[in-house]
Amino acid sequence: MPALPPGTLELLVLSVLQKGAMHGYAIASRLREQSDEVLAVEEGTLYPALHRMERKGWLTSEWRKNETGRRARFYSLSDDGKARLVEARRDWAERTSAVGRVIGVEFS
Amino acid sequence: MAIGPLRWTFPWTGRAPARERGEVLDEIDEELAHHLELATRDGVAVGLDHDEARAQAMQRFGDLTRIRRACERQRLPGERLMWKTFTVLASVAALWTTFEWRAEVRAKSVAIEQLKEALAAAESARGVAAPVARDWIQVGDLVQLRNLGGSSGYDGAARVQRDGQVLLRDAGWLRIEDLSLAEARDRLNEVYTPYLMSAPNFTVELLEARADRVEPVEAIVVKPFDVLTVIDETHPEDFCGDVRVERDGTAFLPQLGSVPVAGKTRAELESFLSSKLVDYFIEPPTVRVIVTGG
């Protein structure tokens, strides 16, 4: 996996959860599928990150039944999380476009 | 049950009540087990037999024990306080032993003591001594932290402050004094697990070992003519710099102007400045102060 700057995992999780509440396994699967396996997170490391983000107030969680009827912890974005996502996305765009200008690659 | 940041804990230990603690740990286990079950199910769905699918799921998951502990640290933040109390007691015990040992040396040989003092004076005149072969960490040491795991961005050198802690990017202050290099490495791997996409694999090396022992005192306060490095980690571009404490105990900071800082411990100063800066930003500031000299 390529080296990624700090804060990337947060941005990815917040983006994925924009689609609605999901449990950890669904988040990990979504990250893997959408990035064509490039961002294959070591799946377990997602959980401390989710708990940390909940502690920061960006996520909320509740126990619900999953698609097979088993109890699972579902995470969703809080209002703070949505604001954080906007900010993190803007930072990311600024950073990548600045790098792009230097190395001669335009990011759309 | 959703457990937010404001959890009730016993003030004298910082621990959550046993029943609630047990519930939190059960929920962590249930959540991780749920993940492994679904991963195994998906493996079986693509034709693996159950044991193979389970083994593959475990491998993709990573080190279960480390991840479980990292989750606990996030869900039961009070436990850190417990750990801090323990390390403070351990430091006191270590200091006591040091004092006794010093007394014995003095009694045995005045000549050796004089030689040591001369050596210590020479070392402190140079500021920092050459690296010595020692595998535990003391106040004043400069340690090199490097993550050999997948993600970058957390490499660098950090000076162990007077209270035995180092300032880490994102993770904040971490006490590493009196830990062996291997123990410090384990602590870093644990605290950085929630920040990285692959298992952290830190190495810790002593870059400079301080020869003269600086006693760790939690209650050391900022005094006039100290130099402070002040950083707001949330907005490092807006608020970061060095400032000297004036004779009257104030320091001139951007946006805030002249604020009283002398007489406060570092922790007090950090929360004082964070609360002062809160009106200037949307996201709450996280001020860090490093006392760099007097």
Side-chain angles (χ1 to χ4, degrees):
Chain A
M1 199 196 66
L4 292 166
T8 310
L9 182 55
E10 279 166 12
L11 174 59
L12 293 171
V13 169
L14 292 170
S15 305
V16 166
L17 284 175
Q18 238 187 332
K19 310 259 176 351
M22 278 182 211
H23 53 66
Y25 184 70
I27 297 171
S29 307
R30 188 66 67 93
L31 283 177
R32 204 176 45 240
E33 285 158 16
Q34 288 194 337
S35 70
D36 291 332
E37 308 270 334
V38 175
L39 301 178
V41 177
E42 187 197 30
E43 291 174 359
T45 60
L46 194 60
Y47 289 91
L50 287 168
H51 295 182
R52 188 174 66 82
M53 290 165 77
E54 187 178 356
R55 204 154 61 80
K56 288 200 142 199
W58 299 339
L59 306 183
T60 55
S61 76
E62 63 173 333
W63 288 90
R64 283 197 236 154
K65 295 232 164 107
N66 73 2
E67 58 280 10
T68 62
R70 189 194 186 294
R71 210 170 87 101
R73 199 199 304 261
F74 279 74
Y75 294 88
S76 23
L77 284 187
S78 67
D79 287 344
D80 279 0
K82 286 175 193 157
R84 175 70 200 162
L85 174 59
V86 171
E87 199 183 325
R89 212 177 246 161
R90 194 187 53 225
D91 288 352
W92 181 268
E94 279 171 10
R95 227 180 308 158
T96 44
S97 71
V99 173
R101 283 195 297 277
V102 174
I103 65 172
V105 178
E106 285 298 321
F107 293 92
S108 54
Chain B
M1 190 182 80
I3 292 166
L6 294 174
R7 294 179 59 262
W8 187 80
T9 54
F10 287 122
W12 56 91
T13 61
R15 282 176 82 97
R19 198 166 56 85
E20 192 186 329
R21 189 180 136 76
E23 201 177 308
V24 169
L25 297 183
D26 287 348
E27 283 186 349
I28 291 171
D29 286 343
E30 187 177 350
E31 186 176 27
L32 303 185
H34 173 258
H35 182 107
L36 290 169
E37 270 175 42
L38 292 192
T40 307
R41 184 201 63 184
D42 286 356
V44 170
V46 295
L48 298 178
D49 75 33
H50 182 272
D51 288 350
E52 273 175 333
R54 176 82 184 169
Q56 200 181 72
M58 291 291 285
Q59 197 196 356
R60 282 222 309 248
F61 193 80
D63 181 347
L64 188 57
T65 313
R66 177 178 54 79
I67 287 158
R68 189 176 182 277
R69 281 193 63 191
C71 288
E72 278 175 39
R73 283 175 59 82
Q74 296 302 323
R75 287 271 152 192
L76 297 164
E79 301 291 320
R80 294 180 206 184
L81 198 66
M82 204 33 206
W83 185 82
K84 274 185 183 170
T85 315
F86 172 75
T87 42
V88 167
L89 289 175
S91 307
V92 169
L95 268 178
W96 181 252
T97 317
T98 312
F99 287 139
E100 280 196 333
W101 174 77
R102 280 186 182 163
E104 203 180 315
V105 170
R106 269 193 208 98
K108 279 185 179 165
S109 168
V110 175
I112 290 174
E113 188 63 21
Q114 283 170 343
L115 195 61
K116 278 177 69 184
E117 277 170 16
L119 191 64
E123 297 285 19
S124 62
R126 278 200 294 147
V128 172
V132 292
R134 145 153 88 67
D135 67 350
W136 78 95
I137 296 164
Q138 291 185 348
V139 168
D141 287 350
L142 185 67
V143 287
Q144 171 85 46
L145 317 170
R146 197 174 286 136
N147 180 22
L148 307 177
S151 301
S152 61
Y154 292 111
D155 297 353
R159 177 79 63 188
V160 184
Q161 300 296 303
R162 290 185 294 195
D163 59 1
Q165 304 194 65
V166 283
L167 183 58
L168 304 174
R169 181 169 177 179
D170 291 339
W173 291 103
L174 176 72
R175 184 183 299 279
I176 59 170
E177 191 209 0
D178 286 340
L179 297 186
S180 68
L181 296 177
E183 286 166 339
R185 180 200 61 206
D186 293 346
R187 299 277 304 136
L188 282 167
N189 286 339
E190 201 181 302
V191 298
Y192 271 120
T193 295
Y195 296 90
L196 297 170
M197 298 178 71
S198 50
N201 178 16
F202 273 89
T203 59
V204 181
E205 287 168 51
L206 266 187
L207 275 190
E208 294 171 357
R210 190 156 171 157
D212 52 326
R213 170 87 182 174
V214 181
E215 309 303 355
V217 179
E218 292 269 1
I220 283 184
V221 294
V222 171
K223 57 185 190 311
F225 310 119
D226 277 351
V227 177
L228 312 176
T229 300
V230 186
I231 314 150
D232 175 5
E233 285 197 328
T234 322
H235 314 92
E237 278 150 26
D238 298 322
F239 200 87
C240 172
D242 291 347
V243 64
R244 183 177 282 277
V245 182
E246 302 297 330
R247 186 184 294 276
D248 64 0
T250 62
F252 192 83
L253 294 166
Q255 285 160 325
L256 301 179
S258 208
V259 289
V261 296
K264 294 183 169 63
T265 64
R266 190 189 60 207
E268 285 167 353
L269 192 53
E270 285 178 345
S271 39
F272 172 70
L273 293 177
S274 297
S275 67
K276 282 270 182 193
L277 276 178
V278 83
D279 295 337
Y280 296 89
F281 298 105
I282 295 167
E283 202 181 338
T286 312
V287 176
R288 305 293 189 185
V289 177
I290 301 173
V291 183
T292 47

